[in-house]
Amino acid sequence: MIENQTEPPIACTLEGESYPERIAWIADLAREGLRSHRRDDLTLELDYAPEVAGRVHEMVRKEQECCAFLSFDITDRNNAVRLTITAPGRARDVADDLFEQFLPTSASCSVPAGSADRS
C-alpha cells in the first residue's frame, strides 16, 4: 500500500523570531479572552469571550498557514467563540506540546474548564 504523500508534516513552518512572537501573541490572546478549555485526547476545545472573536479568527488564519496538519473549527455564538483544534493521530506523541501553546501560561481562565456553555 502506498502512503499518502500529500499529508503535511507534523511541524511548524515558522522560522527565526516568528515562532516566539507567535507564541507570545497566542499567550496574550489566551490571557485576555480565553474563558475555558477542555482536552479530549487529540481534540482541544477553547471558549473565548466574544470580544476577542476577530483575534481568534486571525489566529486560525495564521495557524492554518504554519501548522497545516492541525484542523481548526470555529463556532461563533452570542456569548462565546468556540475554537476546536484537532491533531491527527500521527501527532499523538507531540499533542501535549502542540496544545499547550494555546493555553494560558498561568492556567487561570475566568471560568473553570468544562463550565462553559456546551450548546
Side-chain angles (χ1 to χ4, degrees):
M1 183 172 197
I2 298 173
E3 284 188 40
N4 183 352
Q5 301 275 330
T6 62
E7 289 183 339
I10 305 295
C12 179
T13 60
L14 291 177
E15 297 178 355
E17 289 299 310
S18 296
Y19 180 77
E21 288 172 2
R22 176 74 56 84
I23 295 300
W25 189 88
I26 291 172
D28 286 343
L29 175 58
R31 276 191 301 277
E32 295 167 18
L34 186 64
R35 291 180 168 173
S36 67
H37 63 278
R38 185 174 85 78
R39 167 105 184 260
D40 182 17
D41 193 26
L42 295 175
T43 301
L44 178 65
E45 277 186 359
L46 305 164
D47 285 327
Y48 291 92
E51 298 81 28
V52 298
R55 291 170 59 198
V56 173
H57 283 269
E58 178 182 356
M59 176 182 67
V60 168
R61 282 191 301 277
K62 290 178 176 182
E63 289 298 296
Q64 286 174 323
E65 292 175 10
C66 66
C67 295
F69 61 94
L70 294 173
S71 287
F72 298 89
D73 181 53
I74 299 176
T75 304
D76 289 296
R77 302 167 178 205
N78 289 336
N79 62 348
V81 176
R82 174 161 298 155
L83 172 60
T84 303
I85 305 170
T86 306
R90 59 194 177 91
R92 185 172 306 282
D93 292 344
V94 294
D96 290 344
D97 292 333
L98 290 171
F99 291 150
E100 184 178 300
Q101 69 184 340
F102 296 99
L103 301 176
T105 55
S106 66
S108 61
C109 292
S110 59
V111 176
S115 298
D117 175 24
R118 310 285 310 164
S119 58

